[in-house]
Amino acid sequence: MAARRVSSLLPRSFSASSPFLSRSQGRNLNNGSRIVRRFGTSSAAEEVISPSVQVSYTKLLIDGNFVDAASGKTFPTLDPRTGEVIAHVAEGDAEDVNRAVKAARKAFDEGPWPKMTAYERSRVMLRFADLVEKHSEELAALESWDNGKTYEQALTAEIPMVARLFRYYAGWADKIHGLTVPADGNYHVQTLHEPIGVAGQIIPWNFPLLMFAWKVGPALACGNTIVLKTAEQTPLTAFYVGKLFLEAGLPPGVLNIVSGFGATAGASLASHMDVDKVEISICLLLAFTGSTDTGKVILGLAANSNLKPVTLELGGKSPFIVFEDADIDKAVELAHFALFFNQGQCCCAGSRTYVHEKVYDEFVEKAKARALKRVVGDPFKKGIEQGPQVDSKQFEKVMKYIRSGVESNATLECGGGQVGDRGYFIQPTVFSNVKDDMLIAQDEIFGPVQSILKFSDVDEVIKRANDTRYGLAAGVFTKSLDTANRVSRALKAGTVWVNCFDVFDAAIPFGGYKMSGNGREKGIYSLNNYLQVKAVVTPLNNPAWI
C-alpha cells in the first residue's frame, strides 16, 4: 500500500450550508446554544446508534487464556457519546503483571516462539493480518464505540493500516541477520541480532489498534514475547485481537494483555525486574500530569529496577507553516485536517498554525468558515467528521484551554462550547491573533482547537517554530522548493511533511526530537528496539585467508 495521507481514505462529507458567526458571537462563550445551531452538527439529543457488535472479551489475556484479575476487580469502560457504561473490564494490578511477565518469560525461555524459524513466525503474523481484515467491521465498531472516533475512519483507514503493518513486519522476520566482521589477527568475528526477551508495552487511547500494531509487530518479528498494557479508556479492541492472535496460531504466553491503570499496572510493568525492554506511546495517560511527565516517571522506574532500555513516543506541539506563495484554499483544508483529525487527539497534530502576514487575514476567514462546516455528531452516523472527546477528563482539559485562550485575549473566531447536552462533544474551535507565550500555543491541548499565529519572514518562523520543548512533527506549505528544503532541514522535528500532513506508512519511521521522546517506531528502525547485538569471536587456526 503506497504511503498516503490518512484523510485520503475518509469520506468528504460536509453540511449543505453553515452561516458564519460574527466576531462578537464568536467571542461570547456564554452564547453556546446559538453557536451550536450554527455549526453543521448532528444534534446530541438524537438517539445514538447502537453498534452491531458484541463485547465478548473483557478479561485479561495471560498465558493463552482469558482470566479475571487476581483481585477480582473490574472497572467500567465508557461510551464517550453518552458517558454510559459499555462494559466492565478486568482491572489488572501488580499481581496480574507478575502473572503475565511470568508467562512471557516462560514462553521466551522455554516455549517454541523464539525457536521457530523466522519464516514460521512470519506465517503466524500473516494469518493474523488476514483475520484482522476478516473481522474489520467488528473491530472498527469496537474502536469507535470505545474511543469516539468515527466508524468510517476506523473502518476505512485504521483497520487496513493495522493489517498492513503486520504484513510489513511479517516480511521482516526472515531478513534480520548479523554481519561477518573483519578483524586484526586470526579471528572469525560475527555479529548476531538476538531478540531482547520480554518486552513491556504501554499503548495510548487515541489510536488503540494502530499503536498495538506499531509495537507488537516489530517485537514479534524479532522473536520476543510481550506483556502489553492497554489504556484504561480503550481496552476493548486489544482483547479482541488478542483472541485473533491465538486463532492465528500464536503460542500461549507470547502475547499477554493486561488492562488497568497507570499507577498500578503501568508502573508495575515499567519497574518489573524480569521485563527486558519497555516501549510506550503516551497521550496524557496514566496517573500523572502529562505525556512528558509520564515519560520521565517511566524512565525512572526502568532505571531504578534493572536498567531496562526504554523507547518513548510522547507529546507534540507541531507547527504547520503556511508561506505567502501557498494556494490558500488548499492550505486551509490541509491545516484543518492537520489539527482536527481524530477530534484533535493526535500527538503530531498541527496545533500551531503559522501563517505569513500577507495572507493571514484571508487564511483566518477561510479557516473559520471551514471549521463552521465541520459536521459533529454520533461517530456511527454516515457523513460525521468529528465525534466526542475520549472521556470527561479530556473534555474538561480542552475546555480549560479554550477558556485560557479567551482570557489571554486571543480572538475566538468560532466554537468554544459543548455540542449538545450529553457526551463529550466540543465545537470545532478556531483562535486567531495567538501569541507564542499563550498556553494555547505552548501546551498540548489534544482537542479540536486551532491556534493561528502570524509571521513575517522565514528566519523568524523557523526560530519560533523551534522554540518549544517538543519536536515530534511539523508541516510546511509552500510552492518554493528552496523554501521547503531550507525549512524542513532547519526544523527540529522527527517528521516534516511538505505540502501534505499525516502521511503514514509502515516503512516510514516516526518519533520525536527533544521532549517528544526517543527512538523510532515503524520501518526498519523499530526493529532495533527489540534486538540485542552480540559479537562472537572464534580463533582461526592457520586460515587460508583472513
Side-chain angles (χ1 to χ4, degrees):
M1 182 173 70
R4 51 186 167 178
R5 182 157 63 99
V6 175
S7 65
S8 67
L9 298 171
L10 305 180
R12 303 178 66 82
S13 303
F14 312 128
S15 58
S17 62
S18 299
F20 300 164
L21 289 177
S22 69
R23 278 179 193 267
S24 61
Q25 286 174 318
R27 289 194 187 99
N28 189 353
L29 279 176
N30 295 321
N31 253 345
S33 59
R34 284 193 289 163
I35 293 174
V36 169
R37 287 197 297 271
R38 290 179 180 268
F39 276 84
T41 60
S42 172
S43 172
E46 298 175 10
E47 281 298 314
V48 296
I49 294 175
S50 297
S52 57
V53 62
Q54 186 74 28
V55 179
S56 302
Y57 306 104
T58 58
K59 296 183 179 182
L60 314 180
L61 178 58
I62 298 177
D63 203 16
N65 296 299
F66 286 97
V67 297
D68 291 320
S71 66
K73 291 182 179 179
T74 63
F75 67 93
T77 184
L78 305 179
D79 183 344
R81 302 175 300 169
T82 62
E84 297 172 354
V85 174
I86 299 173
H88 288 85
V89 178
E91 182 181 333
D93 58 20
E95 177 56 32
D96 301 297
V97 169
N98 283 332
R99 291 194 292 164
V101 172
K102 183 178 179 180
R105 175 57 61 192
K106 182 177 180 181
F108 184 77
D109 291 344
E110 304 174 19
W113 185 249
K115 300 176 181 64
M116 279 185 184
T117 66
Y119 175 63
E120 289 175 315
R121 288 201 302 271
S122 73
R123 292 183 65 190
V124 172
M125 296 173 69
L126 290 170
R127 286 197 294 270
F128 171 74
D130 291 342
L131 289 169
V132 167
E133 289 185 336
K134 179 180 178 181
H135 295 274
S136 60
E137 292 183 357
E138 299 99 306
L139 288 170
L142 283 175
E143 197 83 327
S144 181
W145 196 5
D146 212 13
N147 170 274
K149 65 177 72 240
T150 67
Y151 175 76
E152 289 295 326
Q153 175 184 318
L155 180 67
T156 63
E158 297 183 17
I159 305 304
M161 287 183 183
V162 170
R164 175 67 179 97
L165 280 155
F166 276 100
R167 291 193 176 109
Y168 175 84
Y169 283 110
W172 267 113
D174 59 358
K175 299 169 186 67
I176 298 169
H177 56 79
L179 300 171
T180 300
V181 183
D184 295 339
N186 294 346
Y187 298 99
H188 173 76
V189 182
Q190 62 178 325
T191 60
L192 302 177
H193 290 186
E194 301 181 344
I196 201 166
V198 176
Q201 301 176 333
I202 301 175
I203 60 173
W205 48 256
N206 56 338
F207 296 98
L209 270 184
L210 275 177
M211 296 301 101
F212 177 98
W214 284 22
K215 288 166 178 55
V216 173
L220 292 182
C222 293
N224 297 279
T225 60
I226 298 166
V227 177
L228 180 139
K229 192 197 92 67
T230 67
E232 55 265 32
Q233 297 89 342
T234 54
L236 297 180
T237 49
F239 289 133
Y240 194 107
V241 294
K243 178 63 169 63
L244 296 184
F245 252 124
L246 296 176
E247 186 177 339
L250 191 70
V254 175
L255 174 62
N256 305 274
I257 302 174
V258 177
S259 53
F261 294 92
T264 50
S268 297
L269 185 59
S271 61
H272 202 287
M273 292 295 293
D274 213 17
V275 171
D276 300 304
K277 159 79 183 183
V278 171
E279 180 158 353
I280 62 174
S281 293
I282 309 173
C283 53
L284 302 148
L285 62 92
L286 305 182
F288 309 106
T289 56
S291 62
T292 300
D293 290 331
T294 304
K296 292 178 180 179
V297 171
I298 296 295
L299 281 172
L301 292 170
N304 292 327
S305 52
N306 57 348
L307 208 61
K308 62 178 69 68
V310 178
T311 300
L312 299 170
E313 192 267 285
L314 305 177
K317 193 68 178 175
S318 301
F320 183 97
I321 306 171
V322 180
F323 287 91
E324 60 182 302
D325 64 342
D327 181 315
I328 296 303
D329 290 336
K330 291 181 180 178
V332 165
E333 184 62 34
L334 191 60
H336 179 89
F337 168 75
L339 185 282
F340 291 100
F341 175 64
N342 205 51
Q343 291 70 250
Q345 297 171 154
C346 192
C347 294
C348 59
S351 51
R352 289 182 295 153
T353 307
Y354 287 97
V355 181
H356 193 277
E357 59 186 6
K358 290 184 178 179
V359 294
Y360 185 83
D361 290 342
E362 179 186 359
F363 185 96
V364 168
E365 285 303 313
K366 290 183 175 180
K368 178 177 72 173
R370 177 63 182 91
L372 287 165
K373 291 180 181 179
R374 189 167 183 81
V375 186
V376 183
D378 186 343
F380 282 97
K381 292 184 178 180
K382 188 174 180 60
I384 294 296
E385 295 179 277
Q386 180 179 314
Q389 308 310 118
V390 72
D391 63 10
S392 60
K393 290 182 180 179
Q394 188 61 21
F395 174 88
E396 292 299 334
K397 174 179 172 289
V398 174
M399 297 305 294
K400 180 193 74 172
Y401 278 110
I402 292 173
R403 291 191 294 271
S404 172
V406 173
E407 292 164 2
S408 299
N409 293 319
T411 302
L412 180 62
E413 296 287 345
C414 64
Q418 182 176 4
V419 176
D421 56 3
R422 63 173 175 169
Y424 313 123
F425 298 88
I426 295 178
Q427 296 168 348
T429 299
V430 176
F431 281 103
S432 64
N433 298 316
V434 178
K435 307 301 180 185
D436 291 324
D437 60 354
M438 296 178 180
L439 284 181
I440 59 172
Q442 294 183 346
D443 290 358
E444 186 180 28
I445 299 174
F446 231 64
V449 181
Q450 185 177 30
S451 298
I452 309 178
L453 305 92
K454 184 186 296 184
F455 74 92
S456 58
D457 62 61
V458 176
D459 290 333
E460 172 205 334
V461 78
I462 289 172
K463 182 178 180 180
R464 291 170 64 190
N466 285 333
D467 188 17
T468 172
R469 60 189 179 274
Y470 297 112
L472 190 56
V476 178
F477 205 86
T478 178
K479 295 177 182 177
S480 168
L481 183 59
D482 288 339
T483 299
N485 285 333
R486 177 184 176 187
V487 177
S488 63
R489 283 160 173 74
L491 293 172
K492 305 301 182 185
T495 299
V496 179
W497 288 292
V498 178
N499 296 332
C500 59
F501 207 87
D502 277 352
V503 176
F504 288 100
D505 185 88
I508 300 175
F510 186 80
Y513 286 21
K514 298 186 280 188
M515 294 183 76
S516 286
N518 56 55
R520 292 295 179 267
E521 298 189 280
K522 300 195 290 114
I524 188 174
Y525 298 93
S526 65
L527 299 174
N528 297 329
N529 299 333
Y530 295 103
L531 293 170
Q532 299 261 37
V533 178
K534 177 186 288 182
V536 180
V537 184
T538 307
L540 294 173
N541 184 19
N542 192 26
W545 55 270
I546 298 177

